[in-house]
Amino acid sequence: MALKKVKGTLERVLDKNLQDLVRGIRNHKENEAKYIAECIDEIKQELKQENLAIKSNAVNKLTYLQMLGYDISWAAFNIIEVMSSTKFTIKRIGYLSASQCFHDETDVLMLTTNMIRKDLSSQNIYDAGVALSGLSCFITADLARDLANDIMTLMTSSRPYLRKKAVLIMYKVFLQFPEALRPAFPRLKEKLEDSDPGVQSAAVNVICELARKNPKNYLSLAPLFFKLMTSSTNNWVLIKIIKLFSALTPLEPRLGKKLIEPLTNLIHSTSAMSLLYECINTVIAGIPNHTASIQLCVQKLRILIEDSDQNLKYLGLLAMSRILTTHPKSVQMHKDLILQCLDDKDESIRLRALDLLYGMVSKKNLMEIVKKLMIHMDKAEGSHYRDELLSKIILISSQSNYQFVTNFEWYVSILVELTRMEGTRHGKMIASQMLDVAIRVQAIRQFAVDQMAILLENSHVLANNSQRNGICEVLYAAAWICGEFSECLKDPKSTLEAMLRPKITILPGHIQSVYVQNILKLYGKVVRQAEEEGNEDLLREVNQLMSEKLPIFVSSADLEVQERACCILQLVKYVSKLLDKGAKIGDDIELLYAGELNPVAPKAQRKVPVPEGLDLDKWINQPPPESSDEEIGGPAFFTSGSEHRDTYQYESERKSYEPTAEELEKRREARKVEMEHNPHYLKGDIKKKSKKYDTSHIDDIPVATLDLSVPLHVPGLSASDKYLNMYSNVDTRDKSKKGKKGKKKKRRKGKESDSEEDLPAMHAVSTVEEMPEGAHLSDNENADEYSSDPFKKLDVNLDEPLRDDEKLPVRQHRLVLESSPDKELDGDTEKTKKKHRKEKEKKKDKKEKKEKKEKRDKKKSKSENKEKDGPTLLLTAAEEETASEANIVNNVENTPNSTSPPEEQSDKTNDIEFWLSGSDAATTPSPVKDSRPVVNNVDRTKSPKLTVNDVLSSEEEDSAKVNEEKPKKKKEKRGSKKEKKEKKDKKKKDKLRRHEYEEAEGITTPSKENISMSQQGTPMEIQLPPMSSYKLLAENATLRMTYETRVSPQRSDQIIISVVFNNLTKNHLKDLEFNVLDTLNTKLIRGLGNSHHDAVRVPFILLPESQNEGQFAFSVESISMSQKMRGTLTYIIKSSDGSTHEKLDFKLHLPCSSYLVTTPCKSDEFAELLASGDLPEKGSCKLTPVDSEFPHVLAKMCFHLHFRLIEQVDKSASLFSKSIQGHPVCLLVKMVNGTLNVDGKSSESKLLSGLLDDIKSLLTEES
């Protein structure tokens, strides 16, 4: 053994650790992959070792390799093994690796549920902390559903470290398991007022993230967040809260008025720029109509923009753009500052300034801003930024249907000037603007056609840049405009010659096709003009020109160009034959393209009505069979159609363009310039060039004059400067005229000059758009389709009370689900137990017979000599205090208020309507102290009343429904209003009670019992005195215990005892331990490793004069006889004088009726069961009930004994129930002259006899 330990120690010493792995990878850079493969082989061998320390070292190295990009999913099971270690240092390594490599598709994640649950309930807070941290990285929907309740339990931990982590991970739980949001939200809301600032900050973060997508659901939290905002000094918490308010203020306009004062105070006082920015954002979003606040924000934003910090400058411009939408004039005052940002070194700031200029444009300053942008574009370096400038110039001018353009000649001149910029990728945008203006503005067509004709004559300048979406796209628009509006051409023949130049064939195919199509339009125009003038020479020249030049397009590589050129060439030949015969055909050619084209509406295609009888989903041709796909896999004997098509139609696209050496050099230089001015590019150290590049004699280099065949400036194109000068001259004349007038008029005119009405538009823009016939206009085409956004499922109403079906899946204690603790033992111990039992049973067979006889005698005498401490069934006025305490589940101490309950006052404070109305500032009456304790706002001196409907509705909510009954008589009118308020508050408290507990070993808590629908009773509208299923277990001067029994139809060997602990002192009670002496039939289920003598620890501390409830599970073998068990509760009383140990003995009574489950049964099924002969055992009893009302008798039997009312006729009724082991019980109940006759049938005689005894004790006991 010692040798084995030494060997294991040596192995750990010789194993490579993480530092060795990193060092080895650095030393094997040449063959890194080979070295890592060897290391992985070594790691696999280490994972086969039994020593967890070796495995953890291997997993640690795998984690590093995973960070380098290697797949380690094959080691998922080994990672789980390391995670299950009891040592924190090893467990931490496992969770770190799992958080990096586990994901939703990891198969072994299902094995981690119980392990993580065990870590979450660990006494070591760091084990629970690392489990929460790791779980947040790989949580799935199944893990979230199974562990939600455990995480909620940690939210009430006494350790802030765990509370904070539990609150944070609940956000991931909500995303994976949205059903947990409503049950967990009240507890999450409580953490907003946690004593620890870290927990409070975590709760604020979670709620703010949830409200980011669905803010309307969290509007009710506005008063609470406002209180936090005005009291917190943590800047990060304030930022989160203010972000939340920015989302809430658009939903509630009154909220913005509440926030004006605190937000302006923060803007004035804070030195944190991040907090200042969020305050400004909230003012912009929530208080856009408050001019003074907006002006303050603009002033603060100017300070941010002028700051040297680039981040602050960017944020200032970003916030300024938001103000621009609501207060454009406030931002336009700072136009000079924004224009200065265009010269900033940071490209992102320049782009943000461009976005601002887009919204600052008006009719008066459009030309000025565009001129500055044009100058800036000439100086700008870097193709990306120049393209952005070009696009912004076009967007600024064309926005809102050319709203700010007053002279379209100027705009066309701008578009023509933009064609001079080489290397742009926005040629298509310029072309579309030229087409749009020429079509929609009729008054500008003559000028536009003249400019386009000049561009066509100089097309060789633009054709050099034939890349896709380059500046050559402008020729597309120029050719179409000159052809469509050829009547505006001054010399159509020269334009036709320019369009037939051979160099046009280097342009893209779609541009060539437009050229060919519009050549025919110009040809028809020239032919008609020649016929009108009688110029036959012109006709011959044009026909000869067309016949010679068109064959160039016929041989084009583009199929569309070929087809159009062939058609037009044949048409020209046919026209030339007709012209030779002396026929005039010019008008007929122009008729081919007669009519004016309007722009097509963007939504025209989807507006085309579907003809009747047309099914768009129907197959045109039947789909090929599935087997045909397999046949294609064989050798191809025939070429496919796609290859043939590629050979002709797309041959130009398939050719790879080979750049020349000069073009490569140009690209290289352009790339260097772009990298030089790109702030995001990390520049390296550039080596110095050799001496042969010495620049000391630059002046000696001779300068040669360039003989350019192509002029840099295209003559004839209009310049945009003259329009700007023309408007500036008009402004100076107006100013000189106004200078002669008085100062008062100057001020008035100065205000009027700011308006945009004094610059009328010179040209009208047509808004006619083509739509298909039968189209219906609607605005919902752009409706967003449903997306799989996880936040959509979190859009729930959090203000509604929880329904019964909205319960978290709660885990029962692991021993609760087992029939006997003996199953936890190993095989050897089980065998010895069985032998011992056999011997013991042989010895005690005779004793059991005697005991059974004695118990029968006791049951018979029980109804006659009943002790006063037996189960309380109907509570009278003398026992109202007991009834009030029996319904307690919350660990809360309250005191009544003579004017309004404290709960009501707190609800008013948190009510958004009350808070926004300003009534919260009013003085509230001071509470009056009362010596009587009130629990859940129910006064113990008042006797609530129940109806049979309430009694029989549900066993789970019997205590909650005590407060929902109707009054039988109209008494005590003064206190009726107060009672209603108290009932409402009690109802809210009881519906939230399932959240207020903690789990512990051996104990379940109130909300764990899922009562099925079968246990609901039959409604009757007869009022009853109050009833409670809780019975007194034991009581002394310190502590009072009441209990009730609960069963589940799914478990035939188990019963749950729910005990309410009531602290009657003003001291704390802690270390409560519950223990019961087991019998042969019934045993208390304890934790793992505990013997039958050990007690079960109660998981909570009882505060002074407070209550709490816990549940204890018992395993049961036989249910045919009642059980009485002795037990003891030990506890410690902690007072100012010290701590004392106390104990309280009790007797636990389990009657036969506690094993029944209310089961639905129809009257036909009930009759068949009685006639079937399956119920051989019979029994009957006669008694005189204390309460002579027959409905009251039935209600008591259904409520306390768990029977279902099948049928009732006058004073006779049929009742049915079933035991947890499946024994049916049928009763026939008759009331004759005050005597109650009960006849019963069942399959178990002992069970039936015990039930009849229970009926006697229930109905004959005096209340």
Side-chain angles (χ1 to χ4, degrees):
M1 189 67 184
L3 184 62
K4 188 176 181 180
K5 289 184 178 179
V6 172
K7 184 180 178 182
T9 306
L10 288 175
E11 287 177 351
R12 291 199 299 272
V13 171
L14 296 176
D15 285 339
K16 294 179 182 177
N17 56 17
L18 180 59
Q19 288 78 9
D20 297 331
L21 176 66
V22 175
R23 192 180 298 112
I25 292 175
R26 291 177 179 175
N27 294 334
H28 294 78
K29 288 187 177 180
E30 297 178 356
N31 53 356
E32 180 180 321
K34 181 180 178 182
Y35 177 76
I36 291 179
E38 294 175 357
C39 293
I40 291 177
D41 292 337
E42 294 177 1
I43 290 171
K44 289 181 179 179
Q45 296 300 323
E46 293 174 2
L47 291 175
K48 294 179 181 179
Q49 302 294 326
E50 296 181 0
N51 195 329
L52 268 181
I54 298 175
K55 285 187 178 182
S56 65
N57 183 37
V59 169
N60 201 17
K61 292 186 286 185
L62 282 178
T63 306
Y64 179 76
L65 293 178
Q66 195 271 344
M67 295 168 65
L68 296 181
Y70 291 88
D71 181 27
I72 64 169
S73 58
W74 51 271
F77 187 78
N78 303 108
I79 294 172
I80 293 178
E81 286 183 314
V82 176
M83 291 167 62
S84 63
S85 173
T86 56
K87 292 185 179 180
F88 174 73
T89 54
I90 297 178
K91 184 187 294 289
R92 180 175 56 183
I93 294 173
Y95 274 103
L96 172 63
S97 182
S99 64
Q100 288 191 192
C101 66
F102 282 7
H103 50 83
D104 293 345
E105 304 300 326
T106 304
D107 296 334
V108 296
L109 267 180
M110 64 180 70
L111 304 177
T112 63
T113 305
N114 289 328
M115 181 191 64
I116 296 173
R117 180 180 285 128
K118 180 181 177 182
D119 289 338
L120 293 179
S121 60
S122 174
Q123 298 297 324
N124 187 352
I125 64 171
Y126 299 108
D127 286 350
V130 75
L132 289 172
S133 300
L135 181 62
S136 65
C137 298
F138 56 81
I139 190 169
T140 62
D142 293 335
L143 285 175
R145 182 187 65 247
D146 297 336
L147 299 175
N149 198 64
D150 300 87
I151 298 173
M152 281 181 58
T153 304
L154 288 179
M155 290 174 65
T156 59
S157 172
S158 59
R159 305 292 184 93
Y161 174 80
L162 292 180
R163 294 204 304 273
K164 178 173 64 176
K165 285 181 174 289
V167 168
L168 289 174
I169 199 177
M170 285 305 294
Y171 176 69
K172 293 290 187 73
V173 172
F174 296 151
L175 292 181
Q176 296 291 338
F177 185 54
E179 289 81 1
L181 177 58
R182 277 175 51 78
F185 185 71
R187 190 167 294 182
L188 182 62
K189 183 179 176 182
E190 291 175 2
K191 299 305 150 191
L192 291 174
E193 299 178 321
D194 196 274
S195 57
D196 185 76
V199 179
Q200 193 179 60
S201 177
V204 169
N205 274 276
V206 171
I207 293 180
C208 288
E209 284 300 312
L210 292 172
R212 189 164 56 89
K213 293 288 185 179
N214 306 306
K216 67 178 183 299
N217 300 328
Y218 303 89
L219 190 60
S220 60
L221 296 179
L224 185 56
F225 277 110
F226 184 85
K227 178 182 176 183
L228 289 176
M229 186 181 71
T230 54
S231 60
S232 178
T233 57
N234 188 337
N235 280 346
W236 295 113
V237 173
L238 287 175
I239 288 172
K240 286 289 183 180
I241 294 174
I242 291 171
K243 273 187 175 181
L244 176 62
F245 276 130
S246 67
L248 296 180
T249 44
L251 304 175
E252 178 54 69
R254 294 175 293 173
L255 183 58
K257 299 178 182 178
K258 278 272 187 181
L259 295 174
I260 289 176
E261 183 179 355
L263 287 179
T264 51
N265 291 338
L266 283 174
I267 291 174
H268 279 296
S269 60
T270 185
S271 59
M273 292 300 178
S274 55
L275 181 57
L276 173 64
Y277 177 72
E278 293 301 335
C279 291
I280 292 173
N281 271 341
T282 304
V283 171
I284 297 169
I287 326 171
N289 299 325
H290 198 265
T291 308
S293 300
I294 293 295
Q295 291 293 341
L296 176 62
C297 293
V298 172
Q299 294 173 6
K300 291 291 183 179
L301 289 177
R302 185 179 180 94
I303 297 174
L304 291 181
I305 296 173
E306 291 175 345
D307 198 282
S308 58
D309 189 349
Q310 298 292 83
N311 295 323
L312 296 179
K313 186 176 293 187
Y314 181 87
L315 291 176
L317 292 171
L318 184 63
M320 195 79 84
S321 63
R322 296 176 182 173
I323 298 180
L324 188 64
T325 57
T326 55
H327 293 76
K329 291 187 178 180
S330 300
V331 180
Q332 287 173 4
M333 296 170 59
H334 306 278
K335 182 178 65 176
D336 55 339
L337 180 63
I338 296 167
L339 289 173
Q340 289 177 9
C341 294
L342 293 176
D343 299 323
D344 198 278
K345 295 180 181 180
D346 193 341
E347 185 176 347
S348 59
I349 291 178
R350 297 199 299 265
L351 294 177
R352 186 54 61 190
L354 283 177
D355 293 337
L356 261 177
L357 288 175
Y358 177 83
M360 295 173 59
V361 170
S362 63
K363 289 182 179 180
K364 295 200 67 175
N365 61 12
L366 174 63
M367 293 185 181
E368 180 186 357
I369 290 177
V370 171
K371 179 63 178 176
K372 290 183 179 180
L373 292 179
M374 294 283 288
I375 296 172
H376 193 69
M377 187 173 63
D378 294 336
K379 298 178 182 179
E381 297 177 353
S383 58
H384 174 69
Y385 180 57
R386 293 178 68 189
D387 285 339
E388 285 295 325
L389 279 171
L390 188 149
S391 64
K392 284 299 177 185
I393 290 173
I394 293 177
L395 290 175
I396 285 172
S397 305
S398 62
Q399 63 176 313
S400 303
N401 200 17
Y402 308 103
Q403 177 183 358
F404 303 114
V405 178
T406 57
N407 191 330
F408 278 92
E409 290 185 8
W410 165 83
Y411 185 47
V412 173
S413 303
I414 289 293
L415 294 175
V416 172
E417 287 183 19
L418 292 176
T419 60
R420 300 175 188 171
M421 195 180 84
E422 296 182 0
T424 181
R425 293 177 297 175
H426 292 303
K428 198 170 184 179
M429 182 184 289
I430 300 174
S432 65
Q433 283 295 298
M434 289 178 173
L435 289 171
D436 195 44
V437 171
I439 293 171
R440 299 175 65 181
V441 187
Q442 298 181 5
I444 203 67
R445 284 179 186 169
Q446 180 66 51
F447 180 78
V449 169
D450 292 342
Q451 296 296 310
M452 296 303 106
I454 298 173
L455 285 179
L456 290 176
E457 291 174 2
N458 298 274
S459 59
H460 54 281
V461 180
L462 303 176
N464 291 328
N465 186 5
S466 59
Q467 64 180 357
R468 187 177 181 183
N469 203 16
I471 201 64
C472 63
E473 296 285 345
V474 175
L475 296 176
Y476 178 100
W480 191 90
I481 291 172
C482 290
E484 184 66 24
F485 308 115
S486 57
E487 65 275 3
C488 299
L489 283 171
K490 297 178 181 177
D491 189 2
K493 182 175 178 296
S494 60
T495 305
L496 180 62
E497 292 174 352
M499 295 177 68
L500 288 169
R501 289 175 184 170
K503 201 170 183 180
I504 300 301
T505 55
I506 68 174
L507 293 172
H510 66 285
I511 298 179
Q512 292 185 48
S513 62
V514 173
Y515 261 74
V516 174
Q517 191 74 8
N518 288 278
I519 283 172
L520 182 59
K521 299 178 185 178
L522 292 179
Y523 173 69
K525 180 67 177 177
V526 174
V527 169
R528 181 183 177 187
Q529 184 179 353
E531 287 178 352
E532 290 177 355
E533 296 176 357
N535 191 346
E536 295 182 359
D537 295 336
L538 181 60
L539 286 175
R540 285 194 297 272
E541 290 178 6
V542 171
N543 288 329
Q544 184 179 0
L545 179 66
M546 295 285 287
S547 301
E548 292 176 356
K549 301 294 184 180
L550 276 178
I552 301 174
F553 297 100
V554 173
S555 59
S556 173
D558 192 275
L559 187 61
E560 184 75 17
V561 178
Q562 286 184 35
E563 184 177 3
R564 293 190 183 188
C566 289
C567 295
I568 293 174
L569 182 59
Q570 294 301 321
L571 181 62
V572 169
K573 290 179 181 179
Y574 180 72
V575 169
S576 59
K577 289 180 182 179
L578 294 177
L579 291 176
D580 291 341
K581 295 179 182 180
K584 292 187 177 182
I585 200 168
D587 294 336
D588 295 335
I589 297 175
E590 286 196 335
L591 286 176
L592 295 174
Y593 303 100
E596 185 174 351
L597 294 178
N598 291 321
V600 180
K603 301 176 183 177
Q605 183 64 40
R606 71 177 74 175
K607 293 289 187 178
V608 177
V610 179
E612 295 183 3
L614 176 62
D615 186 5
L616 296 177
D617 298 328
K618 186 179 180 181
W619 285 91
I620 298 176
N621 297 316
Q622 291 298 325
E626 296 180 357
S627 59
S628 63
D629 296 337
E630 301 174 358
E631 298 172 359
I632 298 174
F637 295 100
F638 303 98
T639 57
S640 61
S642 61
E643 294 178 358
H644 175 75
R645 183 174 57 192
D646 290 345
T647 306
Y648 293 92
Q649 184 175 357
Y650 301 108
E651 185 177 358
S652 61
E653 297 181 6
R654 291 176 59 188
K655 291 181 179 178
S656 58
Y657 178 69
E658 296 286 342
T660 61
E662 295 179 356
E663 291 177 342
L664 288 174
E665 185 64 28
K666 286 182 180 179
R667 293 180 184 179
R668 200 174 292 113
E669 293 296 331
R671 187 166 61 252
K672 289 180 181 179
V673 172
E674 185 174 357
M675 289 189 299
E676 184 69 26
H677 295 86
N678 188 355
H680 306 293
Y681 181 76
L682 300 177
K683 307 173 182 65
D685 296 333
I686 301 175
K687 297 181 180 179
K688 294 184 178 180
K689 297 182 179 181
S690 58
K691 292 183 179 179
K692 65 179 181 180
Y693 295 104
D694 188 9
T695 58
S696 58
H697 302 287
I698 293 177
D699 297 335
D700 299 337
I701 300 175
V703 179
T705 58
L706 296 175
D707 185 14
L708 295 174
S709 59
V710 181
L712 294 176
H713 175 69
V714 179
L717 290 178
S718 176
S720 60
D721 294 342
K722 64 178 183 180
Y723 300 101
L724 183 62
N725 296 332
M726 179 177 65
Y727 276 93
S728 62
N729 293 334
V730 172
D731 290 341
T732 52
R733 291 174 189 172
D734 293 341
K735 288 180 181 178
S736 62
K737 290 179 182 180
K738 292 176 182 178
K740 297 178 183 179
K741 298 181 180 180
K743 294 183 180 180
K744 294 183 180 179
K745 291 186 178 180
K746 271 189 181 179
R747 292 173 183 170
R748 277 189 229 145
K749 294 285 184 179
K751 293 181 181 178
E752 293 175 1
S753 64
D754 292 338
S755 64
E756 298 174 359
E757 300 296 332
D758 54 355
L759 289 178
M762 298 177 62
H763 310 100
V765 181
S766 174
T767 57
V768 177
E769 293 180 340
E770 294 290 342
M771 291 290 287
E773 296 181 1
H776 299 284
L777 295 178
S778 60
D779 296 329
N780 57 355
E781 285 87 1
N782 296 326
D784 295 330
E785 297 181 357
Y786 178 79
S787 61
S788 58
D789 185 5
F791 288 94
K792 293 244 180 210
K793 297 179 181 179
L794 293 175
D795 188 8
V796 294
N797 188 357
L798 299 173
D799 296 329
E800 291 181 355
L802 286 176
R803 301 188 301 272
D804 292 336
D805 58 338
E806 292 181 316
K807 295 179 181 178
L808 286 178
V810 180
R811 173 186 65 93
Q812 299 284 355
H813 186 265
R814 55 181 176 272
L815 286 182
V816 173
L817 298 177
E818 299 173 358
S819 60
S820 174
D822 295 334
K823 294 182 180 179
E824 296 295 328
L825 303 176
D826 55 1
D828 296 333
T829 55
E830 284 184 358
K831 292 178 181 179
T832 56
K833 287 275 185 180
K834 289 178 181 178
K835 291 179 181 179
H836 179 67
R837 284 180 184 173
K838 289 179 180 179
E839 294 174 358
K840 197 173 183 179
E841 287 174 359
K842 290 179 181 179
K843 293 179 181 179
K844 294 190 177 181
D845 280 340
K846 297 179 180 179
K847 293 183 178 180
E848 286 181 357
K849 295 179 180 179
K850 294 181 180 179
E851 290 176 357
K852 290 179 181 178
K853 291 181 179 180
E854 293 175 359
K855 289 180 180 179
R856 288 179 185 176
D857 296 335
K858 289 181 179 179
K859 289 179 182 177
K860 291 179 181 179
S861 60
K862 185 179 177 181
S863 60
E864 300 175 358
N865 301 320
K866 187 66 181 176
E867 297 178 355
K868 291 185 178 180
D869 58 349
T872 304
L873 301 172
L874 296 178
L875 304 180
T876 59
E879 296 174 324
E880 288 157 358
E881 183 175 347
T882 306
S884 177
E885 292 178 357
N887 292 303
I888 294 167
V889 292
N890 291 329
N891 189 10
V892 181
E893 179 189 5
N894 299 318
T895 55
N897 192 342
S898 60
T899 55
S900 62
E903 295 290 341
E904 184 180 350
Q905 293 180 3
S906 62
D907 290 343
K908 280 188 176 182
T909 308
N910 294 328
D911 184 25
I912 181 91
E913 293 295 332
F914 178 77
W915 179 67
L916 290 174
S917 64
S919 302
D920 54 340
T923 58
T924 57
S926 59
V928 179
K929 294 185 178 180
D930 197 336
S931 59
R932 296 173 299 170
V934 176
V935 181
N936 293 339
N937 292 335
V938 178
D939 196 339
R940 296 182 182 179
T941 60
K942 297 186 180 295
S943 175
K945 298 180 180 179
L946 282 176
T947 62
V948 177
N949 185 21
D950 298 325
V951 173
L952 302 180
S953 60
S954 173
E955 289 182 11
E956 184 190 11
E957 298 179 358
D958 53 358
S959 61
K961 294 209 171 184
V962 173
N963 305 288
E964 300 177 12
E965 45 333 289
K966 301 177 182 178
K968 186 177 180 181
K969 297 180 181 181
K970 297 182 179 179
K971 293 183 178 181
E972 299 179 358
K973 294 182 179 180
R974 297 180 181 177
S976 60
K977 293 183 178 180
K978 183 179 177 181
E979 287 180 0
K980 289 181 180 179
K981 293 179 181 179
E982 291 173 348
K983 289 174 185 176
K984 291 180 180 178
D985 295 338
K986 176 67 168 58
K987 182 179 178 182
K988 293 179 181 178
K989 283 286 181 181
D990 287 343
K991 286 189 176 181
L992 296 176
R993 71 190 230 195
R994 67 191 62 161
H995 305 287
E996 301 178 0
Y997 66 87
E998 293 185 4
E999 269 189 64
E1001 293 186 354
I1003 296 179
T1004 58
T1005 40
S1007 65
K1008 291 189 176 183
E1009 291 301 313
N1010 297 324
I1011 304 301
S1012 62
M1013 293 297 293
S1014 64
Q1015 296 187 19
Q1016 294 183 358
T1018 306
M1020 297 175 64
E1021 296 298 331
I1022 298 179
Q1023 297 175 349
L1024 288 175
M1027 284 193 270
S1028 174
S1029 59
Y1030 283 86
K1031 307 169 188 177
L1032 181 64
L1033 184 61
E1035 182 179 13
N1036 59 13
T1038 305
L1039 188 65
R1040 176 187 178 90
M1041 293 194 302
T1042 54
Y1043 78 102
E1044 71 168 355
T1045 59
R1046 297 179 184 178
V1047 292
S1048 175
Q1050 287 78 23
R1051 295 306 308 268
S1052 61
D1053 58 350
Q1054 180 180 297
I1055 186 170
I1056 305 297
I1057 307 300
S1058 179
V1059 182
V1060 174
F1061 301 92
N1062 184 7
N1063 185 0
L1064 304 178
T1065 68
K1066 295 186 178 180
N1067 301 319
H1068 288 74
L1069 301 184
K1070 65 177 186 177
D1071 295 345
L1072 284 78
E1073 293 185 353
F1074 184 89
N1075 196 9
V1076 174
L1077 294 178
D1078 295 343
T1079 64
L1080 293 175
N1081 184 61
T1082 308
K1083 298 177 182 179
L1084 175 64
I1085 298 178
R1086 299 171 173 85
L1088 280 175
N1090 294 332
S1091 67
H1092 62 280
H1093 297 293
D1094 295 335
V1096 176
R1097 188 179 182 86
V1098 181
F1100 46 78
I1101 297 174
L1102 283 178
L1103 299 177
E1105 297 182 355
S1106 63
Q1107 303 82 26
N1108 210 335
E1109 181 173 1
Q1111 294 183 351
F1112 303 87
F1114 290 79
S1115 63
V1116 180
E1117 292 184 3
S1118 174
I1119 63 170
S1120 59
M1121 61 184 71
S1122 62
Q1123 297 288 328
K1124 283 189 177 181
M1125 308 174 68
R1126 293 181 179 273
T1128 304
L1129 179 76
T1130 61
Y1131 54 93
I1132 297 177
I1133 304 175
K1134 186 178 180 181
S1135 61
S1136 58
D1137 300 333
S1139 300
T1140 57
H1141 288 263
E1142 297 288 343
K1143 73 172 184 176
L1144 178 60
D1145 297 328
F1146 58 85
K1147 291 182 180 180
L1148 181 61
H1149 180 220
L1150 301 178
C1152 292
S1153 60
S1154 61
Y1155 304 113
L1156 295 185
V1157 181
T1158 306
T1159 308
C1161 182
K1162 297 181 180 178
S1163 58
D1164 298 339
E1165 298 173 354
F1166 185 80
E1168 291 178 2
L1169 182 62
L1170 290 175
S1172 63
D1174 295 336
L1175 308 177
E1177 305 299 332
K1178 299 180 181 179
S1180 62
C1181 67
K1182 291 184 179 182
L1183 56 100
T1184 303
V1186 175
D1187 193 341
S1188 59
E1189 292 289 339
F1190 188 66
H1192 291 191
V1193 171
L1194 293 180
K1196 292 175 188 177
M1197 294 178 66
C1198 291
F1199 180 78
H1200 292 284
L1201 305 181
H1202 314 294
F1203 278 92
R1204 165 77 70 168
L1205 178 62
I1206 305 301
E1207 188 177 3
Q1208 179 181 355
V1209 178
D1210 294 334
K1211 291 191 177 184
S1212 62
S1214 302
L1215 303 179
F1216 177 78
S1217 186
K1218 186 180 287 187
S1219 71
I1220 58 175
Q1221 294 184 355
H1223 304 299
V1225 180
C1226 299
L1227 296 181
L1228 177 62
V1229 184
K1230 294 182 180 180
M1231 177 75 79
V1232 180
N1233 299 326
T1235 302
L1236 188 70
N1237 299 325
V1238 180
D1239 296 323
K1241 297 185 70 176
S1242 178
S1243 59
E1244 178 64 34
S1245 61
K1246 295 180 181 179
L1247 176 64
L1248 181 60
S1249 176
L1251 289 175
L1252 292 176
D1253 291 340
D1254 293 344
I1255 294 174
K1256 289 179 181 179
S1257 62
L1258 171 67
L1259 300 180
T1260 60
E1261 184 184 51
E1262 294 186 0
S1263 303

